Amino acid sequence: MDPAFNDIFTSPWNDIFKVVFYPDRIYHAEYLNATRSPRYRYNVREVRSYLGINALKGEVYLDGKFLSNFLRLEYRSSRLVEQTREKKRLLKDQLIAWVRVLPEDESKKAEATVKLSYCSWIDAYEVEIWETLEPPAGSYHDFQVLDQMGRNGAITRVKAFSPALADIKSLTKIELAFRENDRNLPSGYQISSNDAVWDNDYSRSHQEPRTQDPSSPQNTISDLNYLINFQRGWFLQTPDIAPVRYRNAMMDSDNPDKSDTNIIDMRWIVQRELGGSMVFFHEVTVPPGIVEGTHQHIGTEELYYITEGEGIAYMRVGDDPATEKYPTVERQVMGLGKKEFKELPVKPGSVIFTKSGGMHGIRNPGTKPLKFVAFLYHTN
């Protein structure tokens, strides 16, 4: 019996759940592929989730002996379904994931495509990529698990990933994108790479301060994939992060507030490192006399928390009934023309929370910088 297995498995909570053991708590007790047989146990070291994607990494034991490290991917496909239907096709039972593993040792970086199969137990497409499928010497796989193993099986091995999986603790990041299957079922005709539809996080990009030229396209970095980061924590100093500068943010060309000097700074503190439905957390500095244009959120929600200075925030009439006592003004909304807004005085501690469908903007009419931190996340 492997000592590590024995130490963890004999914990009382693992004796109760008998599905997954975890160093400090049970996490994923839905279903993992090898748990068809009681001979297998999983030690899930890390779990990360982002918008219907789950990524788990850890160890598999067979008959109490260490068998393999693994990376498990689950994808609930909501963003790929509609794109496939527009092609008059259905996802059916399989789809394809492009995966890039990014361990600490860059020489072990690798990428490959793998098949994901639909699993009704978790209502998602899934695959487990094991470091090896070979049982320990003198042992053998259970037939209930063996029939899942293979090149396109629910349990598979990607040779190029084995060096990274060999040291599962040092596998710090993975990048993912998903596409429909390479065969259209039930007809069976091939779907070419040029015709296939992809979910690459809505053509995801992030911001980096590569130049201080306001609104320069050099600061927008195209990612075209999802990033799952297994790092456990960050200690950051916001003043050490250089800002990205934007001229006339959230404004149309005919907005009366538009000016060559209307420039705000955004320090992008955390972006792709976030999980769940979060998109970014950043700090915004609005200099004296400067305006962030009013705009609408659809499918996202955003929260402003004022930390320094004083100013005027704009919230559309009716978005919050409690604002009825404040003055009403007309503001031009990016892409939507003129709308009526409530003019709200803000200072440190003020919060502007805008749900999907809501509109907001902010102005600094004072003589000192106005600063706030902003969270933005998807509504689903």
Side-chain angles (χ1 to χ4, degrees), residues 100-149:
R100 177 185 286 151
V101 293
L102 300 169
E104 293 174 356
D105 184 348
E106 291 193 0
S107 68
K108 298 178 181 178
K109 180 174 70 175
E111 63 181 72
T113 57
V114 293
K115 286 283 183 79
L116 276 67
S117 300
Y118 179 75
C119 174
S120 60
W121 288 73
I122 62 169
D123 190 25
Y125 293 88
E126 56 85 18
V127 68
E128 290 180 14
I129 305 170
W130 289 14
E131 176 192 354
T132 179
L133 301 183
E134 295 297 323
S139 185
Y140 59 91
H141 282 299
D142 192 294
F143 74 94
Q144 297 180 84
V145 173
L146 186 62
D147 67 355
Q148 299 180 83
M149 295 181 175

Side-chain angles (χ1 to χ4, degrees), residues 61-88:
Y61 289 80
L62 173 60
D63 297 329
K65 297 180 181 178
F66 175 75
L67 169 59
S68 176
N69 292 320
F70 78 95
L71 173 67
R72 177 181 171 91
L73 304 175
E74 302 172 352
Y75 174 64
R76 284 172 172 78
S77 72
S78 60
R79 295 168 302 285
L80 193 58
V81 166
E82 190 59 30
Q83 295 183 76
T84 307
R85 289 178 59 192
E86 289 175 0
K87 292 279 189 176
K88 302 189 185 301

Side-chain angles (χ1 to χ4, degrees), residues 250-252 294-295 332-337:
M250 306 298 177
M251 291 186 187
D252 294 320
T294 49
H295 54 281
Q332 185 161 325
V333 183
M334 184 179 179
L336 297 174

Side-chain angles (χ1 to χ4, degrees), residues 108-356:
K108 298 178 181 178
K109 180 174 70 175
E111 63 181 72
T113 57
V114 293
K115 286 283 183 79
L116 276 67
S117 300
Y118 179 75
C119 174
S120 60
W121 288 73
I122 62 169
D123 190 25
Y125 293 88
E126 56 85 18
V127 68
E128 290 180 14
I129 305 170
W130 289 14
E131 176 192 354
T132 179
L133 301 183
E134 295 297 323
S139 185
Y140 59 91
H141 282 299
D142 192 294
F143 74 94
Q144 297 180 84
V145 173
L146 186 62
D147 67 355
Q148 299 180 83
M149 295 181 175
R151 179 179 178 183
N152 294 326
I155 299 174
T156 192
R157 174 178 180 263
V158 177
K159 184 178 180 181
F161 292 174
S162 291
L165 293 179
D167 184 5
I168 199 67
K169 293 181 181 178
S170 72
L171 178 55
T172 54
K173 301 176 185 175
I174 58 173
E175 294 178 330
L176 301 168
F178 302 90
R179 58 155 281 182
E180 62 183 318
N181 197 14
D182 51 3
R183 294 282 175 183
N184 186 33
L185 300 176
S187 63
Y189 72 80
Q190 188 169 9
I191 301 171
S192 69
S193 297
N194 293 332
D195 188 40
V197 295
W198 284 82
D199 172 13
N200 57 7
D201 198 4
Y202 296 106
S203 303
R204 176 66 184 255
S205 64
H206 70 276
Q207 300 292 297
E208 292 183 7
R210 295 190 172 185
T211 174
Q212 287 300 291
D213 294 338
S215 299
S216 171
Q218 295 181 48
N219 295 326
T220 300
I221 313 304
S222 179
D223 300 310
L224 300 179
N225 56 51
Y226 294 91
L227 176 69
I228 304 296
N229 196 319
F230 290 108
Q231 185 172 327
R232 294 180 177 180
W234 282 261
F235 178 57
L236 305 170
Q237 302 295 334
T238 300
D240 296 338
I241 301 171
V244 177
R245 312 188 76 208
Y246 300 89
R247 179 180 285 113
N248 300 318
M250 306 298 177
M251 291 186 187
D252 294 320
S253 59
D254 59 344
N255 192 309
D257 288 320
K258 182 178 169 65
S259 166
D260 287 342
T261 60
N262 193 77
I263 297 169
I264 64 176
D265 290 351
M266 297 186 184
R267 284 184 166 87
W268 296 86
I269 303 170
V270 185
Q271 299 178 76
R272 301 188 78 205
E273 298 84 0
L274 293 163
S277 62
M278 294 292 293
V279 180
F280 62 71
F281 167 53
H282 68 190
E283 180 189 70
V284 181
T285 300
V286 184
I290 302 304
V291 182
E292 179 195 59
T294 49
H295 54 281
Q296 184 176 41
H297 284 264
I298 296 293
T300 60
E301 302 178 359
E302 190 170 29
L303 185 150
Y304 290 178
Y305 182 85
I306 310 302
T307 59
E308 184 179 324
E310 296 183 358
I312 299 296
Y314 299 99
M315 181 177 290
R316 186 177 59 172
V317 170
D319 283 0
D320 179 2
T323 63
E324 287 304 312
K325 64 181 180 180
Y326 292 97
T328 300
V329 296
E330 191 175 71
R331 301 287 297 163
Q332 185 161 325
V333 183
M334 184 179 179
L336 297 174
K338 295 180 179 179
K339 306 288 182 183
E340 289 190 332
F341 283 79
K342 289 297 180 178
E343 199 171 53
L344 310 174
V346 294
K347 59 186 179 180
S350 297
V351 174
I352 300 296
F353 182 30
T354 302
K355 302 282 281 187
S356 177

